[in-house]
Amino acid sequence: GAGIGVTPFIAWLESMASGSNAQTSAEKIIFFYCARNRQEAFFIERLQRLTRRISHVELRVLLADDGELLTPEEIIHLMDNCTDYSVSFCGPELFAEHLKKGLSASGWCQSQFHHEIFSMR
């Protein structure tokens, strides 16, 4: 989740944390929260509280001003070069395209990229 794009993921995490989500599984989920800096990471505490309650979700906060950028290479590394995973993304269109292009170059199937379709004016 990047920018305001984190909000659908907050709803999803709240559902999992309350136990009302039928999709609670043992599959590991790595949740990346991307923001420009700590001041713009408005939801960090809320995400930390939620992910502490869900054992199979790992939160990674990346702050661009600190040089922490989410790259396709980082995702590929974390997945141990496995291509059997999906990515759900909500954030800026150019960011989505960069991730999708880089992931697919590694042999990963683009149909596993789930992206919210919206555009900020």
Side-chain angles (χ1 to χ4, degrees):
I4 196 66
V6 75
T7 54
F9 294 111
I10 290 173
W12 173 63
L13 290 168
E14 286 175 344
S15 178
M16 278 198 292
S18 72
S20 63
N21 187 337
Q23 271 191 299
T24 54
S25 73
E27 289 186 14
K28 179 154 180 92
I29 296 168
I30 302 173
F31 181 81
F32 296 97
Y33 178 40
C34 303
R36 183 176 321 261
N37 52 49
R38 181 82 177 173
Q39 293 77 15
E40 292 185 19
F42 303 112
F43 301 101
I44 194 168
E45 288 84 12
R46 189 172 186 182
L47 290 167
Q48 289 169 332
R49 279 193 311 273
L50 286 167
T51 56
R52 276 194 297 267
R53 296 172 45 200
I54 309 166
S55 62
H56 63 280
V57 176
E58 174 187 342
L59 175 65
R60 291 182 179 232
V61 177
L62 302 175
L63 305 175
D65 286 354
D66 292 344
E68 302 166 341
L69 303 174
L70 180 59
T71 64
E73 295 78 18
E74 175 71 6
I75 295 170
I76 292 165
H77 172 74
L78 288 170
M79 296 297 111
D80 292 326
N81 292 311
C82 169
T83 57
D84 187 25
Y85 61 90
S86 65
V87 173
S88 296
F89 179 87
C90 192
E93 185 69 29
L94 289 175
F95 189 7
E97 288 305 314
H98 172 72
L99 291 176
K100 190 187 309 184
K101 182 179 178 184
L103 292 169
S104 64
S106 74
W108 179 77
C109 180
Q110 282 193 19
S111 67
Q112 292 295 94
F113 194 90
H114 311 285
H115 180 212
E116 287 292 321
I117 307 298
F118 78 92
S119 175
M120 298 297 286
R121 290 187 235 168

